[in-house]
Amino acid sequence: MADTKEVTTPIKEVDRVTIRFAGDSGDGIQLSGSQFTLATARLGNDLSTLPDFPAEIRAPAGTLPGVSSFQISFSENPIFTPGDQPDVLVVMNPAALKVNLKDLTDGGIIVANANTFVPANFKKAGYDSNPLEDGSLKAYRVIPLPITELNARALADAPLTKKEIDRSKNFFALGVVYWLFDRPVESTVEWVQDKFKRRPEIAKANVTSLKTGYNYALTTEVFTSHYRVRKADMEPGEYRNITGTEATALGLVAAARLADKPLFYGSYPITPASDILHELAKFKQFDVRTFQAEDEIAAVCATIGASYAGAVAITGTSGPGLALKAEAIGLAVMTELPIVIINVQRAGPSTGMPTKTEQGDLAMAFNGRHGESPVAILAASSPSDCFTMAMEAVRIAVQHMTPLILLTDGYLVNGAEPWRLPDVEELSRIRITQDADPETFQPYGRDPETLARPWVTPGHPGLEHRIGGLEKAEGSGVVSHDPLNHERMVGLRAEKIARIAHDIPELEVEGERSGDILVLGWGSTYGAIISACRQMRTEGVRVSNAQLRYLNPFPRNLGNILSRFKLVLVPELNLGQLRDILAARYPGNRYMGLNKVQGQPFKIGEIRAKLEEILETGVMV
Amino acid sequence: MADTKEVTTPIKEVDRVTIRFAGDSGDGIQLSGSQFTLATARLGNDLSTLPDFPAEIRAPAGTLPGVSSFQISFSENPIFTPGDQPDVLVVMNPAALKVNLKDLTDGGIIVANANTFVPANFKKAGYDSNPLEDGSLKAYRVIPLPITELNARALADAPLTKKEIDRSKNFFALGVVYWLFDRPVESTVEWVQDKFKRRPEIAKANVTSLKTGYNYALTTEVFTSHYRVRKADMEPGEYRNITGTEATALGLVAAARLADKPLFYGSYPITPASDILHELAKFKQFDVRTFQAEDEIAAVCATIGASYAGAVAITGTSGPGLALKAEAIGLAVMTELPIVIINVQRAGPSTGMPTKTEQGDLAMAFNGRHGESPVAILAASSPSDCFTMAMEAVRIAVQHMTPLILLTDGYLVNGAEPWRLPDVEELSRIRITQDADPETFQPYGRDPETLARPWVTPGHPGLEHRIGGLEKAEGSGVVSHDPLNHERMVGLRAEKIARIAHDIPELEVEGERSGDILVLGWGSTYGAIISACRQMRTEGVRVSNAQLRYLNPFPRNLGNILSRFKLVLVPELNLGQLRDILAARYPGNRYMGLNKVQGQPFKIGEIRAKLEEILETGVMV
Amino acid sequence: MATISETTPAPSLTRQDFISDQEVRWCPGCGDYAVLAQMQKILPQVGVARENFVFVSGIGCSSRFPYYMNTYGFHSIHGRGTAVATGIKCANPNLSVWVVTGDGDGLSIGGNHMLHTLRRNVDVKVLLFNNRIYGLTKGQASPTSEHGKHTKSTPVGSIENPINPVSFAISAEATFVARTVATETKHMASVLRRAADHRGAAFVEIYQNCNIFNDGTFEDVTARDVKSDRLVVLEHGKPLVFGKNSNLAVRLHNLHMEVGPLDAPSNGSHLIVHDERASDPTLAHILGNMRWPDYPECIGVFRDVRKPTYDELLLGQIDQAQSAKGAGSLQDLIHSGDTWTIE
Amino acid sequence: MATISETTPAPSLTRQDFISDQEVRWCPGCGDYAVLAQMQKILPQVGVARENFVFVSGIGCSSRFPYYMNTYGFHSIHGRGTAVATGIKCANPNLSVWVVTGDGDGLSIGGNHMLHTLRRNVDVKVLLFNNRIYGLTKGQASPTSEHGKHTKSTPVGSIENPINPVSFAISAEATFVARTVATETKHMASVLRRAADHRGAAFVEIYQNCNIFNDGTFEDVTARDVKSDRLVVLEHGKPLVFGKNSNLAVRLHNLHMEVGPLDAPSNGSHLIVHDERASDPTLAHILGNMRWPDYPECIGVFRDVRKPTYDELLLGQIDQAQSAKGAGSLQDLIHSGDTWTIE
Ligand SMILES: Cc1ncc(C[n+]2csc(CCOP(=O)(O)OP(=O)(O)O)c2C)c(N)n1
Ligand SMILES: Cc1ncc(C[n+]2csc(CCOP(=O)(O)OP(=O)(O)O)c2C)c(N)n1
Ligand code: SF4
Ligand code: SF4
Ligand SMILES: [Mg+2]
Ligand SMILES: [Mg+2]
């Protein structure tokens, strides 16, 4: 809890707080988290959240693998990550404590449901004695509350079963935390009343639990003080909190609308990409046609077919699925059809750690197909940026007639942040110009600027033609085995992708435009990098940062930017895939990797630590 | 026909000759070519051959797409390619002339079956008038022979149908060429007699045609002189002419024998890899178990299963198939099982030009899987080198417990060259040491030197264990989601591959060990590169060359070699895939690409031309 | 650009209109030519404008078919024609979509997509050119090759059991299943014509001779001199009578078929009347499983039932959502959920 | 290293010997537990040494099965268990190879490998845990999900037609096809036991409840109070009699099944005697196709026939080559063909 200032009342003002709620999958942790988030957002804090689900669907209650958690960081300042380390840990059982304690900041607060710290439970979590009592937590401020009991007492008269009563104890805990951080309970009360309108007795019990928790914290003196985080200075507008998944889905729907075409989404379920399918399946009124294919290959092939027939056509998957789609993406390269392949990266290789995040698929996005098979590549940098980049993906694919890979990852799609809602009127239409005159029509004729071929779909009289995976003659598109034609076509396909550089924004550098160190990240490392660099700049360190969201082609000013720094530090959640590509494309610069492959996002502190190490060891001289 | 010297007899001695036989698929072209090759080999010339098949199975007779050809180059000196341009073109019909003329060297000889140059035929080939007569060939020495007619006359008394008689006209043509290059007909006579022992009347006719052709050339004065190429100075030993496909198959069989294990080959047919399957299917007496899978994914998965159960397990395919196998190769990476994936590269992307050669899959071999998923990579450099590299592939895979990709290509596998037969006693055994004591057995324990885990196969009591695609705990191999374990395992898998560098030969440089220009190729470009560089060195140019056959890891001295040259020229049949990898791995050197993407191998002259350009433009200064 | 035309017949199309400008590149004598010719002949009769036909294929000799049709065409990748076609149909259900595939393309690498396309009842017409061999790759065994067959990949004989394409399609619950013979041009034309009219997944197996790598593979039943005694032509509502002089019949005895003279005394067996429209697939299964030399083989339509197609249901759900909720407003969608305002 | 032991029973294995040290990670209440328990119970009886068992799986909740078996185990990738198992069997036919798969793993992404593994009669035992849902990925429709089913991926109902796994396996010509119910532990044990003894491709569908994402999906036929009237237990050589008081029977009427009281008058229909060993798959098909609510559903062994297995034939060809040509000499092989000598 950086920078606490004593005030005269028992309320302390702090500028940033990170809280983690943790408990069994069945403890309603995600719900508590999202309610706290909403209340916080309404107060005008900037915030960022991240849930963490167990790898097992529902491991036995009280076990370590069964622990679920939700982290929120909120601040009066702009915020880009859900926080490196929680300041407060709310744990509903011993397993939750065991799993999460290592992340808690020194001197942090632990709010624990003391009723669950009985021998059977703490042993299941691997404790020999009760950690709340054996002194092992003395580095922290432990607040043990008999939550189950207090909650049951509060609801003694409710017309509910014991199980039902128990199920509302997360609201009691939430009430306590609301008081602790001075949030109003109203938004949650409204939500509960709406959610349980058909079961008013449950609604009532939850509200009672919530308020009782709040009041309990207020009136008893378990906390010596409580905290307030001031409103952030956010751009005026309407906001909602949005996950990367939701933003991706909305971006696709919006893009299809803006292109005035139906949206086709062909996909085979895979964690953590499946939720895009679930989201899109809800939007049938927007003429969204979802197809759950029999496998990833069918998904991408149907997507190619849908594109051929004129839909805005998307397929989404995660690493293993992208590998399976490789051959068919090559077909889209050869047929020059616009499809977007969303790859929600997860920790590999192979099945790896499916619920964990990683940036291990960049090299595959570039090179994971046989032959010279270039595709456009984008990466989203934050949950809400998924909206923008999904729209950009569609725009670029259809305007440049190319398959495009959009990289996100597990961290991005599950994370959430406030999103300032765009006005639909402000979004620009996606124009597809492809008049084709039957007299002069050339299936592989090209737009002189973009080199895009026309997107002529079946149903147009006089334009009947055949396409396919064999090499095409320039212009006519008929099958050709001519050696020089092949070389020209290989060149044209590469050049077509290269020219997208004219149609994307230049890379922006934060900090000085030239200097000693540029921290250059891509995709989801944005939050940690910008946070670390801003912090260090306030401390007077000369470090600049930039984040790549357009990866193939790179922004046209990238080479120039790189050449203006003595050292380019490239933090990646892999062994250095971007760094290798930069070294090949822009030789002559000095690159250094900061590579983490732990299935977890960067912490701000890790980026800082690396920068400090660079400054200290004087490698810069 | 470089360097002809006049002698007193009408025989001219020449040091190298390149002949191309061409005709309809049904004209027996491949047969003529292989017979000529055998006769030439027996004379002690060094040689290299390359067939060229039409993309269509059997296009209509007399059409351009139906033309098949066979090229042989032979010399008194060491020879590494089938020749840039034929000196002699033997054409059995107008289409064959049309397709092949552009390659003929200026002043070259055309032997044509004049009987086929009738209007119906030469029009089918796209000629308006008879090219043998209209003066359009005056830059060449045209020898029109009425082969069909002469052959029919020679066999007037044979007890054969007209069709059967016609079918032997290729032997007539062959006889003419035998005389022209002073080869004895005996080897072919023997072959014919053996081949047609059940149909002696056919055997007799073929022999008659052959001898009549020979005598016709001898006695008529259609040729003003004939040619002789002296014996090459070849290493003593027993030789056979071998294609890349045959050498690959033999290498695999040999390796399995040397490892004392059954050979499993799981594959799905695809041009140009299918022939490996066909070859291996013949070797059942060597305990070769071929499995024609339902697709490439099943092929690689069965191969993984076979490896798991203890076979030397190989899967072979071509580009599109390698793309399909990507996900499963990741499984072999995670389970650290030894499999060899042979990729016979062809021109991509997508279906591309399936019968044409290319080196477009190197980047995919390196990066074509999700996550950090390193595999070993080798490439064969000539047809007979396929034997060596197939054995090396098996040796490295099983001794280092890793999937390994062996890259060949269409040019290599169809090309042939004399191969000095190894003595089986000289081949070293492939030792697999993996004693595992049930008391201490660790499925992911590692050899301290290689980091290989033990290859313990089902059937061993007390060593029962489980493996799979989820991340493994170091040592025990149980499923682990521990962040630091993951990072360690990612590192170990990378390091295991890196350490193979200690177990492979250093890269050899031909020419000076340091200097201005190093021509660095990989795989099948060997022949063109070494020929060009040797030529230029004899001409006094300071250029060195080296050929990579071990690509991941690179030979341990590569970095050092690269740093000793001012410029590294990297010729590749792609857009620069190796060059990019070198630039990333060994920055600070100056690389230049020589890239050809025409579905065809490099010509010696193309490498020379590039070197000359470099020397002339003075980029070196 | 011209807009998508309705599915009304162009005034007067002829066979010629369906011939593309590409030279046909099959081996002389290949069975594929006959299918092409019949297809070009029947399409003008189907009542669909030329621009609304799409031919999709995978890879194989047979899969070059689309190049020769002067319609929209997509020569995709090996085994995936059905998947590509599914996407096309979802994007534009107005199109008449045909998939041309081989025994390798459709039943080996593409077997799974075939299965799922058929069970979903996607409205595509699948023509499986069965030559019991891999033609394009020059002669390996295919999933329909006979047990024991010698091919390049099985030099001492195949050790696999062949798939029966018709049985496969019936199990997959294709709503239209038929078999014909490339050399029986009239029969083939009528089967193609019926497939064209079917709404839903139509599967047609075509016995096709590959004269280069598997010459005569179906001769045992299709040769001129034997075919009338070895091919039973199925006709809806008619008993299974066949033979040179219509003197033979197929009878059912319990669950087994028996073949004998039409006038043989019934010993517990009875003549079967063919019923394409049976919702129960049992009869179709039994007929599909009749294989030479144990039985004569059946050609014609085994099954023709109408069920809602995938694309009808897909678009139906969209229509329903739109009539229930109105065609979605993007502004509302973006502004939905728990929002708040910062001023 | 110890050498591969012969397939003789280790002296005295017990259930305990087959329990691995890994904590079982399925949801409390999941149907998978029962299968695991029965498997661990029957394996000691099979007469195969523990080290010769291999459990292979793809990905899914069910596919975690191998971790819990103290045998050799391979948790491969999604849908590919059967292909991996095929390779294992080719490399070492001595092993008893089991594939554990789910309705998604085995019939969606893995459908093609399943088809080809069964038709090749590879000697593997496939257990398909059918819970009619994707469990591991948290509740999408699977290829066995009912038409109209609401799931995460089909919020207004699935528009696909489900695959019937037993019919699929019968069409694929699996030589052993059975169905059982995870909650019927004794029946399940006996079916698993028989699968273990079968030589050739054995396919067992197991009705398995996913209490988290598809609770009660088979309750209609498996619930305690209805099951005796809705499940017909197949027994070879016995008529299809069922019901609480064995008072109901399944009869054949032409090609259709009829269900009624055992003592109903035969109006052209007749009682069927179950014949697992029929080479003709028709009866098995008809029985497999009986689905609630039109019919009671059959459990037990639909088909059990012996045919040469893929691995027997593969190794047979090798033996034959070796006895004809002798175990190949590498020296001869390398020196074969047209060779010449340079001195
Ligand atoms: C991914 C992939 N694998 C393999 C091939 C090679 N291939 C092309 S066609 C074919 C099989 C052809 O047989 P079939 O489908 O029966 O068609 P036919 O040529 O007999 O008409 C194969 C294996 C390919 N093109 N792509
Ligand atoms: C290539 C690939 N695609 C998708 C997935 C995600 N995935 C894992 S299991 C599964 C389906 C599980 O359903 P099922 O096979 O029925 O098994 P269950 O969990 O129900 O036992 C899916 C789609 C994956 N792991 N790999
Ligand atoms: S190879 Fe066979 S199937 Fe292919 S074109 Fe030739 S004859 Fe037809
Ligand atoms: S999700 Fe369903 S199938 Fe998976 S473990 Fe839980 S109950 Fe079992
Ligand atoms: Mg075929
Ligand atoms: Mg399931």
Side-chain angles (χ1 to χ4, degrees), chain B residues 212-548:
Chain B
T212 315
Y214 191 95
N215 293 331
Y216 179 84
L218 175 73
T219 52
T220 64
E221 290 192 351
V222 290
F223 298 100
T224 49
S225 54
H226 63 154
Y227 303 89
R228 176 177 294 161
V229 175
R230 264 191 296 190
K231 266 180 79 131
D233 185 18
M234 292 173 81
E235 211 182 324
E238 198 177 347
Y239 282 80
R240 65 190 269 198
N241 199 46
I242 197 160
T243 64
T245 295
E246 292 162 345
T248 305
L250 287 186
L252 296 176
V253 174
R257 265 296 160 93
L258 296 170
D260 203 16
K261 300 214 166 244
L263 179 69
F264 176 89
Y265 186 76
S267 186
Y268 184 70
I270 184 166
T271 304
S274 320
D275 288 333
I276 304 175
L277 173 63
H278 307 159
E279 274 302 300
L280 287 174
K282 296 178 196 157
F283 299 145
K284 301 202 189 300
Q285 70 277 26
F286 290 90
D287 200 0
V288 175
R289 308 177 188 181
T290 56
F291 168 60
Q292 181 182 325
E294 58 273 25
D295 65 12
E296 284 84 354
I297 299 175
V300 64
C301 287
T303 301
I304 291 171
S307 165
Y308 173 66
V312 162
I314 319 290
T315 184
T317 190
S318 183
L322 184 59
L324 285 170
K325 290 178 204 275
E327 191 212 0
I329 297 174
L331 176 65
V333 168
M334 184 63 97
T335 53
E336 305 193 34
L337 284 169
I339 63 168
V340 173
I341 306 106
I342 300 175
N343 181 24
V344 185
Q345 296 166 99
R346 64 187 217 187
S350 198
T351 314
M353 308 196 302
T355 56
K356 304 296 171 192
T357 201
E358 205 155 287
Q359 295 186 298
D361 302 348
L362 182 66
M364 176 172 57
F366 271 89
N367 298 312
R369 293 161 298 284
H370 63 284
E372 291 293 345
S373 187
V375 302
I377 305 171
L378 307 184
S381 64
S382 77
S384 68
D385 191 42
C386 291
F387 178 82
T388 312
M389 295 319 273
M391 292 221 302
E392 278 291 87
V394 172
R395 178 185 72 80
I396 293 172
V398 303
Q399 289 181 343
H400 296 263
M401 291 295 284
T402 177
L404 180 152
I405 295 176
L406 170 60
L407 296 169
T408 66
D409 58 39
Y411 169 64
L412 271 191
V413 297
N414 289 324
E417 64 183 2
W419 175 45
R420 193 173 157 274
L421 305 181
D423 189 335
V424 169
E425 299 303 312
E426 285 166 17
L427 303 174
S428 41
R429 297 196 57 70
I430 296 178
R431 243 174 283 280
I432 299 154
T433 43
Q434 47 199 329
D435 294 294
D437 175 351
E439 294 304 305
T440 56
F441 172 59
Q442 290 263 73
Y444 277 69
R446 292 183 188 280
D447 179 291
E449 255 169 61
T450 59
L451 299 183
R453 75 176 192 94
W455 190 9
V456 170
T457 56
H460 293 93
L463 303 178
E464 292 85 353
H465 65 284
R466 276 68 54 193
I467 61 173
L470 287 164
E471 183 60 284
K472 304 271 152 292
E474 208 184 330
S476 73
V478 302
V479 173
S480 167
H481 279 72
D482 177 59
L484 294 175
N485 174 76
H486 177 51
E487 190 157 83
R488 268 197 313 277
M489 292 298 278
V490 165
L492 279 168
R493 286 186 290 260
E495 175 64 15
K496 184 180 70 174
I497 299 297
R499 290 206 188 168
I500 296 171
H502 303 303
D503 197 21
I504 58 173
E506 295 206 327
L507 181 64
E508 281 171 37
V509 176
E510 264 219 9
E512 295 173 31
R513 300 273 296 158
S514 65
D516 287 348
I517 309 182
L518 174 70
V519 184
L520 181 69
W522 67 273
S524 71
T525 55
Y526 172 69
I529 292 175
I530 193 171
S531 304
C533 292
R534 284 194 178 176
Q535 283 176 16
M536 294 193 69
R537 280 195 295 269
T538 22
E539 294 161 18
V541 177
R542 291 188 58 201
V543 57
S544 303
N545 63 280
Q547 196 73 8
L548 288 166

